[in-house]
Amino acid sequence: MRTTPSHTPGPEDPAGGVPARPARLIRNEAATEIPVHLLFRDAPTPVPVPLGPAVVGRRQGTGEQPRPRRPVAARHRPVPRVDPDLVERPARVLPGAAGVLAGACGAAGCLATSWWAGLVPPSAAQSLGLPGHAGAGLGPAQWAAYAGAGALALFGLGGLARGRTGRAWVLGLFGRYRGTVRRSGLLWVNPLLLRRRVDVRLRHWRSEPMAGADASGVALRVVVLVVWRVRDTARATLGVEDHEAYLRACVEAALVRVPVETPGGAGGSAGAAGDALTRLVTADAGPVGLEVYSVQPLRVEYAPEVASAMHRRRIAALDAQYRASVLTSVVDSVEDTVTRLTTRGLVELDDRERKALVKDLTVAFCAGRGEQGP
């Protein structure tokens, strides 16, 4: 908008006098649009801010520069990480017949070396069908043959193992994972490998009372039933120190996050709590090779420190509910009685008489209910 200075003569502005202060008068009252860039032409050039999902655009006509929005971190629970190379794979084993054959060959080699050294009596050699031989005693060659045959016998017989259905062996050598044996029957496993037996059957675990809470934050004691099994023996054995203790910790953590149905609560919340517990425990136990099928609350009771107070509260709620039901029944009975009397024309009542009749009937019905008891 434009303003023009004007000189208006006043009483103090005679010829040769002091001129009065110039005044600013608005000649045009119509509002005109002022470009935004003119308001900030003396300001330094703003730094360009890239517009995107994390930037709020400026509002029209305000001259406000775009303001970057602080990125909001994604809210998620940290997932436990295990070595990605630690995955179950089958180990190399041989049938048990190979170990038996190697042990038999080693025993036969020891017997032949004894006969070669002349340590077998002639009578025993004849009974075994061996020709008589007068050996020169134990020399370096005989000792080497003994060592080889004995090592073969020990290596063959020491590697025999019996695999069972529902059980597995996790094999390791010098701290390195070498595979898992899930086969059953007589097997030969390298005796130099360290064996760890793992139960891979479907298992049920009934917990002891654990700490929990309901939707209102009241402390509870919850007993849960967990159905689970070991899916990846390598991660369950080598990924954590004790996978059973880890599963217990996962269940306790889930009970803290999920509200459980209180005693006498709504029946529909029990299934929802079980589903939520199952999802949380499955997500936590999956990375360590455990497969969880179900986590269901079996028994829910109040914690000892709040049990007495909640019991009194429950009794008071039941008493209030009973009183409300009695009052509703009395009111319905009084209304039905007065309606029938007036509808059939048995009595004609004005407002005062109706109120008196209602009062008397209410007292009578309440006294009758009190005599009958709950």
Side-chain angles (χ1 to χ4, degrees):
M1 56 186 67
R2 296 175 300 176
T3 59
T4 57
S6 175
H7 179 72
T8 304
E12 299 179 358
D13 190 19
V18 179
R21 169 177 288 182
R24 292 182 177 272
L25 300 179
I26 300 176
R27 297 298 184 184
N28 186 9
E29 296 180 358
T32 60
E33 183 178 1
I34 302 176
V36 175
H37 67 277
L38 294 180
L39 299 175
F40 301 94
R41 58 184 178 182
D42 295 332
T45 304
V47 179
V49 180
L51 296 178
V55 176
V56 179
R58 64 184 180 185
R59 292 174 289 180
Q60 291 288 342
T62 61
E64 182 181 358
Q65 296 298 325
R67 297 172 310 195
R69 181 185 299 170
R70 179 178 298 177
V72 180
R75 297 180 179 179
H76 64 278
R77 296 182 297 104
V79 178
R81 296 183 178 180
V82 185
D83 186 3
D85 297 332
L86 188 60
V87 180
E88 179 180 333
R89 60 178 182 271
R92 297 179 180 180
V93 295
L94 297 177
V100 174
L101 180 61
C105 291
C110 290
L111 180 60
T113 303
S114 299
W115 172 79
W116 178 26
L119 300 180
V120 179
S123 58
Q126 292 178 1
S127 61
L128 294 175
L130 298 175
H133 178 74
L138 294 175
Q142 288 79 10
W143 282 114
Y146 266 127
L152 180 61
L154 293 177
F155 202 75
L157 298 178
L160 294 177
R162 184 180 63 174
R164 298 181 180 180
T165 304
R167 303 294 178 88
W169 282 311
V170 177
L171 307 181
L173 180 62
F174 303 121
R176 184 178 179 182
Y177 175 62
R178 290 296 185 178
T180 300
V181 179
R182 287 180 177 262
R183 297 169 55 181
S184 58
L186 187 61
L187 306 172
W188 183 85
V189 184
N190 188 347
L192 300 180
L193 298 177
L194 177 63
R195 309 175 191 176
R196 297 183 181 181
R197 185 178 293 274
V198 182
D199 191 346
V200 295
R201 296 174 296 179
L202 188 66
R203 304 172 66 180
H204 296 71
W205 172 51
R206 181 188 177 98
S207 71
E208 66 278 1
M210 295 183 175
D214 61 1
S216 302
V218 179
L220 302 174
R221 289 294 181 268
V222 186
V223 176
V224 297
L225 178 65
V226 184
V227 182
W228 66 286
R229 72 179 180 92
V230 176
R231 176 176 50 85
D232 192 315
T233 56
R235 292 191 173 187
T237 306
L238 305 177
V240 291
E241 183 176 359
D242 187 351
H243 60 271
E244 295 184 2
Y246 180 82
L247 179 62
R248 171 192 170 89
C250 292
V251 173
E252 291 180 348
L255 283 175
V256 173
R257 300 194 295 267
V258 176
V260 186
E261 177 192 6
T262 57
S269 62
D275 295 340
L277 289 173
T278 302
R279 288 194 301 269
L280 289 176
V281 177
T282 300
D284 291 341
V288 297
L290 303 182
E291 187 173 6
V292 179
Y293 294 96
S294 175
V295 180
Q296 296 295 330
L298 290 183
R299 189 176 71 250
V300 182
E301 57 187 12
Y302 290 111
E305 59 271 16
V306 299
S308 58
M310 296 307 298
H311 180 69
R312 290 193 300 268
R313 179 179 177 182
R314 181 63 179 170
I315 294 299
L318 292 176
D319 184 65
Q321 183 179 1
Y322 171 73
R323 290 178 182 274
S325 64
V326 169
L327 181 60
T328 302
S329 177
V330 169
V331 171
D332 293 341
S333 300
V334 171
E335 182 182 5
D336 183 64
T337 302
V338 174
T339 302
R340 288 186 177 185
L341 290 174
T342 56
T343 302
R344 296 181 181 182
L346 298 178
V347 293
E348 294 182 1
L349 304 173
D350 55 10
D351 293 340
R352 185 180 59 81
E353 292 174 344
R354 175 187 286 275
K355 292 180 181 178
L357 179 60
V358 169
K359 179 180 179 181
D360 295 340
L361 290 176
T362 303
V363 173
F365 286 153
C366 287
R369 292 280 184 174
E371 292 177 358
Q372 294 177 3

